[in-house]
Amino acid sequence: MRLNLIAAISILSTLASGLGLPGLAPRSLVIHPETCVMNKEGFLGTSFPDPPCGVSRGNGKDTVTALLCFVVPPCNGQCTISFTDALTATGSRRLQLFTLDRCPTTGGDTWGSKPFRDKHIGTFLVSIPGPAAVVEDFGLTFPCPKTVTKYGFELQPVWDNDSVTWDNSKGGLIITCD
């Protein structure tokens, strides 16, 4: 009887810890970007690696965008992109999210030589503190990858006189694997 109880506890412990699914990330894994590179419109050949990361625009000029690279481990289920815990937010506090054709590299991607911006997949309204509200969703949820996969994204301000900053290791754009 005692052996059966120990075996049952061991099996339940293994299932609860996710070890019963080798090679897969645990449920509700939060993934932060590996890289955040800020590009400034007035500095065509210079990149500005984080911290902090941010986007801004003032009076229709001097746009600053953030290029982000995520390395997502194998996961089951759906992955969701969200934005949370900005440090500062002024103006409309709105951010547009685009996919990139590849992940950006620190020091190599500038305003004049950044990855190709592909699809607009969402818009966020930033709150301090807490999660941003989703204003537009054109693909913020997608099937999680079955192998390690890199994703490149660009965040940019929506209107004039906007500024949003975040600590890339604690907040900003995240991917959640459920």
Side-chain angles (χ1 to χ4, degrees):
M1 177 74 159
R2 182 175 174 198
L3 186 58
N4 287 341
L5 180 59
I6 292 171
I9 290 172
S10 176
I11 291 169
L12 289 174
S13 173
T14 299
L15 290 174
S17 69
L19 295 177
L21 303 171
L24 296 179
R27 294 180 57 79
S28 298
L29 175 67
V30 176
I31 303 159
H32 293 271
E34 179 180 89
T35 305
C36 177
V37 178
M38 294 182 350
N39 287 167
K40 298 181 181 183
E41 185 176 17
F43 298 86
L44 297 180
T46 306
S47 63
F48 300 86
D50 64 311
C53 206
V55 301
S56 63
R57 180 181 298 125
N59 296 321
K61 60 182 181 174
D62 300 325
T63 300
V64 175
T65 67
L67 307 177
L68 303 152
C69 179
F70 286 84
V71 178
V72 180
C75 301
N76 274 335
Q78 295 292 309
C79 284
T80 304
I81 303 168
S82 57
F83 190 95
T84 187
D85 298 322
L87 296 173
T88 64
T90 60
S92 76
R93 304 181 339 264
R94 291 180 188 244
L95 304 173
Q96 288 182 324
L97 178 64
F98 294 86
T99 60
L100 296 174
D101 68 336
R102 63 174 173 80
C103 270
T105 58
T106 304
D109 289 311
T110 65
W111 187 274
S113 66
K114 59 187 174 181
F116 173 74
R117 183 186 306 153
D118 193 15
K119 296 179 216 156
H120 176 212
I121 60 170
T123 303
F124 300 100
L125 175 59
V126 175
S127 299
I128 297 179
V134 174
V135 176
E136 297 174 310
D137 182 348
F138 306 121
L140 296 174
T141 301
F142 58 95
C144 290
K146 300 300 181 203
T147 61
V148 175
T149 305
K150 289 186 175 188
Y151 295 96
F153 296 102
E154 181 175 19
L155 273 172
Q156 68 177 29
V158 175
W159 292 315
D160 288 349
N161 303 316
D162 287 335
S163 178
V164 177
T165 62
W166 62 92
D167 179 338
N168 207 36
S169 66
K170 297 178 184 173
L173 198 67
I174 59 172
I175 295 177
T176 306
C177 178
D178 290 325

